[in-house]
Amino acid sequence: MKLPEVNIVNVVGSCDIETQIDLEKIYHLIEYADYDPDGYHCIYIRRPETKRIVTIFKSGKINTAGSKSVEEAKTAVLEIVDELNNLGFTNNRPEVRIYNIVSNIALNKEFNLEEISEKFGAEYEPEQFPGAVLKITDPKTTFLIFKSGKVIINGVNSIENLENSVRWICENLN
């Protein structure tokens, strides 16, 4: 079975440098940093050449969202870790963990969402949301299935799990 093209739209990743961070100091030292201590309690870094965002928390956790690949997400976080190391705030390079890869596929056929709901136990309430929400556990994935044949894949944490999720949905809905 030929699998459809997968379009990755967002990769969420994180690491913990296990060091308390003085956000006020860092805010003035990192280019493109935005900090509002009365609002959300972290530093936002959004460089103009990318759509991704990196957040630094006082606890030492560093998150990213908006990358289009796992490697880009890891690079985004590690660039900030390296910058913090160069500024003397920390001296480590932790592993970046991927938490969510959001993607979409087109299965090029229309679906009866009520049938999908009955067959797989998907949630389908058209007054609330125009798609069926189907959750599977192996691999742990949430699919948003639309009548048009478009499917949003959410909740996978690796490319291997993404490929297995695409395979599962194709085998079960085609």
Side-chain angles (χ1 to χ4, degrees):
M1 164 189 298
K2 184 176 185 292
L3 297 179
E5 180 181 342
V6 177
N7 179 35
I8 296 175
V9 296
N10 185 19
V11 179
V12 178
S14 179
C15 77
D16 188 347
I17 60 172
E18 299 178 350
T19 300
Q20 290 287 309
I21 298 293
D22 182 337
L23 298 179
E24 189 69 38
K25 276 187 182 176
I26 289 176
Y27 167 62
H28 296 290
L29 297 172
I30 295 182
E31 195 172 20
Y32 305 112
D34 188 20
Y35 179 50
D36 177 9
D38 296 326
Y40 201 58
H41 301 288
C42 68
I43 292 176
Y44 289 101
I45 302 165
R46 185 185 310 250
R47 297 206 162 109
E49 68 273 9
T50 68
K51 292 189 179 207
R52 68 182 182 235
I53 190 165
V54 177
T55 53
I56 305 172
F57 293 88
K58 181 179 180 179
S59 66
K61 292 196 188 285
I62 301 172
N63 298 337
T64 187
S67 293
K68 301 293 185 198
S69 72
V70 169
E71 284 310 310
E72 181 185 351
K74 289 181 177 182
T75 298
V77 171
L78 292 176
E79 283 175 354
I80 298 303
V81 169
D82 290 345
E83 206 164 336
L84 292 173
N85 284 338
N86 290 339
L87 292 169
F89 286 96
T90 184
N91 190 24
N92 63 23
R93 202 158 199 261
E95 180 180 347
V96 177
R97 184 168 172 212
I98 300 301
Y99 288 95
N100 190 12
I101 302 171
V102 181
S103 61
N104 59 52
I105 57 174
L107 294 180
N108 300 319
K109 69 184 252 183
E110 284 200 3
F111 292 116
N112 180 326
L113 300 180
E114 288 180 13
E115 283 181 12
I116 290 172
S117 176
E118 290 171 17
K119 182 175 180 181
F120 297 103
E123 296 174 32
Y124 179 54
E125 297 182 34
E127 313 81 41
Q128 302 285 324
F129 183 71
V133 180
L134 174 60
K135 296 180 181 185
I136 63 171
T137 56
D138 188 23
K140 184 180 179 195
T141 307
T142 300
F143 299 102
L144 306 177
I145 305 165
F146 298 91
K147 180 181 178 182
S148 66
K150 304 270 190 225
V151 178
I152 296 173
I153 303 163
N154 189 23
V156 297
N157 60 5
S158 69
I159 294 299
E160 179 183 0
N161 285 344
L162 176 59
E163 291 168 353
N164 290 335
S165 296
V166 170
R167 193 170 294 106
W168 188 95
I169 201 75
C170 289
E171 289 171 356
N172 286 280
L173 293 187
N174 276 335

